[in-house]
Amino acid sequence: MSSTRFAHPVERGIARIFDEHGIERQYEPHTFVLERLSDGTVHEAFTPDFFLPDLGLYVESTVMRQAVATRKRRKARKAQKLGVNVEVLFRADIERLASHWRLRRLEHAARGAPAESARGSERARHACLSNC
């Protein structure tokens, strides 16, 4: 995990939980094209934070403001319509997880999240854009 560069401390905390419990995980391994323009250009894409291969499950986490959480939920629903098994962990889910397991760093990261960055659009430009 030390060589992985996570976009947010919450992602690092979730990865640590997976690692400590022996849950195999991959960080941002796939980008799903959700919508293309008529010329074939990717208009909308979704890159979930984690893939858990043993469960065949993608996990997206968000502790951002409501507008961003709503956008992620909408993208996750579009991905589900494509047959992608994805679950979204929201701030309240992450705070409950951190509180239950006494994970102070994760709890702090969930509560002290900075404003949404431009990483989503940057990730979409640099990721392999395919329906995996």
Side-chain angles (χ1 to χ4, degrees), residues 55-122:
L55 301 174
L57 175 69
Y58 289 88
V59 177
E60 174 66 18
S61 62
T62 182
V63 294
M64 303 301 179
R65 64 188 188 276
Q66 186 61 42
V68 176
T70 300
R71 186 173 37 215
K72 286 189 178 189
R73 179 184 295 126
R74 183 182 52 75
K75 285 186 171 190
R77 284 186 185 143
K78 282 185 166 184
Q80 288 169 337
K81 287 180 181 178
L82 295 173
V84 178
N85 186 14
V86 61
E87 292 294 330
V88 180
L89 295 176
F90 296 98
R91 180 190 301 262
D93 301 319
I94 295 166
E95 287 176 352
R96 276 193 302 273
L97 178 69
S99 177
H100 178 78
W101 292 99
R102 296 186 182 112
L103 303 168
R104 299 292 177 228
R105 277 191 247 164
L106 180 59
E107 191 171 16
H108 177 71
R111 292 189 175 153
E116 176 76 352
S117 70
R119 80 177 173 104
S121 59
E122 179 183 15

Side-chain angles (χ1 to χ4, degrees), residues 22-81:
I23 299 169
E24 184 181 347
R25 53 112 183 139
Q26 299 169 4
Y27 182 66
E28 298 185 336
H30 305 117
T31 293
F32 299 94
V33 175
L34 302 175
E35 189 177 329
R36 290 185 185 271
L37 299 176
S38 59
D39 67 358
T41 304
V42 174
H43 178 68
E44 185 175 36
F46 178 57
T47 305
D49 297 324
F50 298 98
F51 177 62
L52 310 179
D54 292 341
L55 301 174
L57 175 69
Y58 289 88
V59 177
E60 174 66 18
S61 62
T62 182
V63 294
M64 303 301 179
R65 64 188 188 276
Q66 186 61 42
V68 176
T70 300
R71 186 173 37 215
K72 286 189 178 189
R73 179 184 295 126
R74 183 182 52 75
K75 285 186 171 190
R77 284 186 185 143
K78 282 185 166 184
Q80 288 169 337
K81 287 180 181 178

